[in-house]
Amino acid sequence: MMLPLSVGIHTLLLGVACVAEGDPVLGIPAQLQGRRGDIIRELGPLLSKDATIVLPLSSEAEPLLIRAATPRISPDYKAIVEVATEQDVQQTIKYANLHKTPFLAVSGGHGWPTTLNGVKAGIQINMRKMNHTTLKRDGRSASIGAGALQHEVIAALFSHGKRAVTGLCECVSAIGPLLGGGHSMIQWRYGFAADNLVSARVVLADGRAVDVAADKNSDLFWGLRGAGHNFGIVTSFVVKAYDAGDTWTLITLTFTQDKLEVFFETWNMLEKAHPDRGMLVVIGIMARNDDIDPENPVINLQLIYEGRNDAADLYAAAFRKLEPKADSTLQEISWGDLFTAGGFGLTGPICRKNQNILGYPNSLDKWDVDAMRAAFGIFSDLTSEELFKTSAMLLESYGQQGARAVPEGSNAVAPEERRRHLLTSPILWWMGDDAAARKRAEDYGAGIQAAVRKGAGSAEPHAYVNYATGCEDFGEVYGREAPRRSKLKALKAKWDPQGQFGFYMPIE
Ligand SMILES: Cc1cc2nc3c(=O)[nH]c(=O)nc-3n(C[C@H](O)[C@H](O)[C@H](O)COP(=O)(O)OP(=O)(O)OC[C@H]3O[C@@H](n4cnc5c(N)ncnc54)[C@H](O)[C@@H]3O)c2cc1C
Ligand SMILES: *[C@@H]1O[C@H](CO)[C@@H](O)[C@H](O)[C@H]1NC(C)=O
């Protein structure tokens, strides 16, 4: 399970990928690895006219190097290739292979597992120029460029009265969440983002480009949906499209911490009473709000639902009985505006960049009140430090139905991800590059995770792959069934025999 957190440089040299030793100064400076400019001269002529190659010390590189979770997550690059076509991706991979250079695709730049720091003197393949969203003529599916961000996809489809299953945060790519499953506002009806993939174009480790769908390279199609960071670079993909639906209501209730026990008891009671509650998303966020409680974090609850929904009325009434300190409602929110209204917008704090994001996830099927109290205590200590004050503890429930309607074996999304519908994780945010601060963050985060796990009884822990720290074992993120494990390993051996796609929760 958890590895010891205090591992030194010697372990880095042994190549243990999960430890947080990503500091580029420990490696050989990228610019000494080869003569600067060689790549521009050699690869440049092979690329399309819209592609660009940027060297890491140039001023154009800065925005391409800042990730959501820098400096903690800082893959080390000797060049960045902004690809504009599938052939650009192929040429770049072939060039990297020729020079025995690692490479990493970047779309939204929000991934945070420490395994990403395994990239040393590599080539960043930046996908952002491949950002199209095109609705197919019959309106039932859409083709998306793998560099498109969620807000671009939502806006493009909504302009045709349509939507697709994407994540919640506008700044994240559409492909990133999908490759690991993809939790969504409309998951209750349509399942995970991965469950809605129709086909993909994928460039493999040797530079070949292939079609992937139910009837084309179907084994890869299975693996791409859930373990999809392990096999190739998706250049474009087709997902199911649906009508944009009714308008939404957003109720926000804020509770002080003395209500914590009744809050989680009420949540459990409601989920038991209304297992099929319709398109109602329940999201709690524990965070500091000094206006409401200067001493302790508070619990914010969002009830977000489409159209009229009787279960939502019952949820709201039951939580209101707990006497929230703040209570507000927004109505008639269109699908196109929902993400900004809910606080998931491009300019919202959740989308901030260049802070050391770190998560410690658990998936559960009900809340354990004592465990959540213990976790809250550690979270309270964490956020009493000024440095970590803006951290949050996520409590997410998208409803069971959509994810469970899809048979467990039908793609690589872990069965535990379908069965355990509650997703909780502290999301630690802090600034700067201080090693002692990072160690404290890791200790707090692991402490919160362990406290939550104590409440799960004998159930083996499950961590959502897209929220993982990088230190989890295989079964914890990809599922524990032996046949599934062999299947994933066989796929890895077939499609990525050299392990070139090994920087994001690698199957190894
Ligand atoms: C603010 C925030 C909000 C989030 N919200 C949600 C959410 O609502 N639902 C949810 O399920 N998850 C969510 N996540 C987690 C999210 O799924 C992961 O962080 C995801 O990896 C981000 O994808 P990205 O493209 O933005 O990041 P990147 O770091 O660019 O990519 C992540 C990984 O995918 C690989 N990759 C990128 N593009 C491709 C490609 N075209 N082909 C193959 N591999 C590729 C990268 O190499 C990297 O290893 C959120 C994370 C953050 C930080
Ligand atoms: C989207 O793609 C187009 C075409 O490649 C490109 O010109 C544009 O800069 C891209 N958008 C972003 C934000 O990168």
Side-chain angles (χ1 to χ4, degrees), residues 67 104-112 116 146 167-169 172-173 175-177 179 182-183 229 232-234 350 357 464 466-467 504:
R67 303 178 55 89
L104 183 74
V106 172
S107 290
H110 278 78
W112 73 55
L116 289 166
L168 273 70
C169 294
V172 172
S173 72
I175 192 68
L179 292 173
H183 286 283
H229 311 89
I233 295 184
V234 176
I350 194 127
I357 304 178
Y464 176 39
N466 281 333
Y467 284 14
Y504 191 90

Side-chain angles (χ1 to χ4, degrees), residues 371-384:
M372 295 316 292
R373 170 56 77 183
F376 177 87
I378 304 169
F379 179 73
S380 182
D381 291 346
L382 164 78
T383 50
S384 68

Side-chain angles (χ1 to χ4, degrees), residues 372-495:
M372 295 316 292
R373 170 56 77 183
F376 177 87
I378 304 169
F379 179 73
S380 182
D381 291 346
L382 164 78
T383 50
S384 68
E385 280 198 40
E386 191 60 35
L387 185 63
F388 301 120
K389 193 170 181 178
T390 63
S391 301
M393 174 91 180
L394 298 181
L395 314 162
E396 303 182 329
S397 172
Y398 302 96
Q400 290 102 315
Q401 192 219 264
R404 287 193 189 169
V406 176
E408 286 182 356
S410 56
N411 60 40
V413 175
E416 291 82 349
E417 200 64 43
R418 295 192 189 281
R419 289 177 208 159
R420 302 185 198 172
H421 70 290
L422 299 176
L423 174 55
T424 179
S425 180
I427 308 292
L428 291 88
W429 269 287
W430 75 98
M431 309 254 259
D433 204 7
D434 177 42
R438 184 162 72 190
K439 172 76 172 67
R440 276 206 314 292
E442 289 165 351
D443 288 347
Y444 279 123
I448 292 171
Q449 188 178 51
V452 174
R453 283 181 179 181
K454 270 201 185 143
S458 60
E460 298 227 63
H462 175 69
Y464 176 39
V465 61
N466 281 333
Y467 284 14
T469 63
C471 293
E472 294 80 358
D473 68 30
F474 181 97
E476 194 176 333
V477 290
Y478 290 116
R480 295 177 190 279
E481 298 160 355
R484 161 179 294 269
R485 191 185 183 123
S486 346
K487 187 167 176 175
L488 280 169
K489 291 203 170 178
L491 282 178
K492 184 72 174 171
K494 175 177 171 188
W495 294 99

Side-chain angles (χ1 to χ4, degrees), residues 128-129 131 152:
R128 285 289 290 126
K129 290 191 177 182
N131 60 35
E152 295 165 337

